[in-house]
Amino acid sequence: MHFQRLGIHSIPNVRDYLIIIAGMAVYAIGFTAFILPHEIVIGGMAGFSTLVYFASGGLLPVAVTMYATNILMLVCWYKSLGRQFVVGTVFGATILSAIIGLIEGYFTSHPPLVSDPTMSVLMGSVVCGIGIGLYYSHKGSAGGTDIVAAIFEKKLNISIGRTMMIIDVAIVTCSFFLPFDGDMDARIQSRVQTIIYGWTSIVIYSLVANYMVNADKQTIQFFILSPKWEDIADRIAHECGRGVTSFDGKGLWTGENRTMLVVWCRQYDADHIYSIVQRIDESAYIIQSKAKSVYGNGFDRLHTKSRKVKK
């Protein structure tokens, strides 16, 4: 997943903690109710713990492996990760492991809620993505591959998104070597199918989570052309709190001098800006487009890291 790990940089409040718990409950249900019963391995610590669960013949529950591995990694890399990240991750890992531990026994001992594996994986992946999006967007972290990715970013200057994708794909691929009753041809036919399900799940829950985390934070660019541009600019600045830039231009067909406004804002400001323009000048020209990245006051902070030059 490529969205920013908000939990590393800021401290959640009480409302954030409640939504983090809700998000982890949603993720736990999506994973244990729809994916685990079909013996499909997905990415992250849940996937790694699933490998251990099936490799041990069900002796080591998923929740136990998740929690023990998370705590072990945090202890080993405490100094590198920092106290704030560790405390937040311990909270998240504890909540998620506890919820999965409470419900995994029921779903692994009963027939799957959705018998068709394709529909079950699709449903589970969407639900997991919603859960991930909820707790990440409110500064939560469940640990797992987040910890490894954070270490790789600090030590080797490798991006978190790239590291997590490599780890997730590798975890799913390792499911090929789980115990299997049958010859190699049967193993290939069975395991390749479940591996594809696992990879598909990674893509789906990553897209859903990314959308939830970044939807309202998408930067929008407006070009507004109106003879009442001064009133529009004043209302946008005072009602939306967004800066407005004006450019002088000339219409080649009419030969008239015109002023165009440029506004950068978040997605949640867009409807308000449309309303302002409509109230002042219904015949105004408005062009809206997505801006890939806007850095500066009121938007994202620009983070750069110097690359080590090999001599």
Side-chain angles (χ1 to χ4, degrees), residues 5-10 81 84-85 139 141 146 150 153 160:
R5 263 60 193 170
L6 299 176
I8 298 174
H9 302 290
S10 51
L81 295 171
Q84 181 178 320
F85 177 83
K139 314 174 187 72
S141 172
D146 278 12
E153 185 186 40
I160 286 180

Side-chain angles (χ1 to χ4, degrees), residues 120-136:
S120 191
V121 169
L122 288 175
M123 176 62 72
S125 301
V126 171
V127 174
C128 285
I130 293 172
I132 294 170
L134 281 173
Y135 68 75
Y136 268 130

Side-chain angles (χ1 to χ4, degrees), residues 224-230 246-261 285:
I224 304 170
L225 189 63
S226 168
K228 301 179 181 179
W229 62 271
E230 289 182 287
S246 64
F247 290 96
D248 294 327
K250 183 177 182 178
L252 293 180
W253 180 259
T254 63
E256 296 179 357
N257 293 322
R258 307 290 293 271
T259 298
M260 178 176 288
L261 303 179
Y285 292 98

Side-chain angles (χ1 to χ4, degrees), residues 281-297:
D281 184 5
E282 292 186 351
S283 62
Y285 292 98
I286 306 176
I287 300 174
Q288 176 190 324
S289 61
K290 290 183 178 180
K292 184 177 180 180
S293 299
V294 176
Y295 300 101
N297 185 31

Side-chain angles (χ1 to χ4, degrees), residues 85-158:
F85 177 83
V86 171
V87 171
T89 303
V90 168
F91 172 80
T94 301
I95 295 298
L96 183 58
S97 298
I99 297 173
I100 290 178
L102 287 173
I103 62 178
E104 69 170 301
Y106 175 84
F107 289 110
T108 53
S109 60
H110 289 75
L113 292 179
V114 180
S115 58
D116 179 64
T118 301
M119 293 304 299
S120 191
V121 169
L122 288 175
M123 176 62 72
S125 301
V126 171
V127 174
C128 285
I130 293 172
I132 294 170
L134 281 173
Y135 68 75
Y136 268 130
S137 61
H138 289 269
K139 314 174 187 72
S141 172
T145 50
D146 278 12
I147 300 172
V148 180
I151 291 297
F152 271 65
E153 185 186 40
K154 288 178 177 290
K155 300 293 185 181
L156 303 177
N157 204 24
I158 301 175

Side-chain angles (χ1 to χ4, degrees), residues 212-230:
M212 291 192 63
V213 172
N214 297 319
D216 286 341
K217 297 175 183 177
Q218 170 66 53
T219 304
I220 302 298
Q221 179 174 254
F222 279 98
F223 291 100
I224 304 170
L225 189 63
S226 168
K228 301 179 181 179
W229 62 271
E230 289 182 287

Side-chain angles (χ1 to χ4, degrees), residues 188-255:
I188 292 174
Q189 290 180 356
S190 175
R191 294 302 186 203
V192 167
Q193 183 176 9
T194 57
I195 287 172
I196 292 174
Y197 278 134
W199 288 343
T200 303
S201 179
I202 292 173
V203 173
I204 294 172
Y205 68 63
S206 297
L207 289 174
V208 173
N210 268 303
Y211 176 79
M212 291 192 63
V213 172
N214 297 319
D216 286 341
K217 297 175 183 177
Q218 170 66 53
T219 304
I220 302 298
Q221 179 174 254
F222 279 98
F223 291 100
I224 304 170
L225 189 63
S226 168
K228 301 179 181 179
W229 62 271
E230 289 182 287
D231 292 337
I232 294 173
D234 182 69
R235 293 267 55 85
I236 291 174
H238 286 85
E239 294 183 21
C240 298
R242 291 296 178 183
V244 185
T245 302
S246 64
F247 290 96
D248 294 327
K250 183 177 182 178
L252 293 180
W253 180 259
T254 63

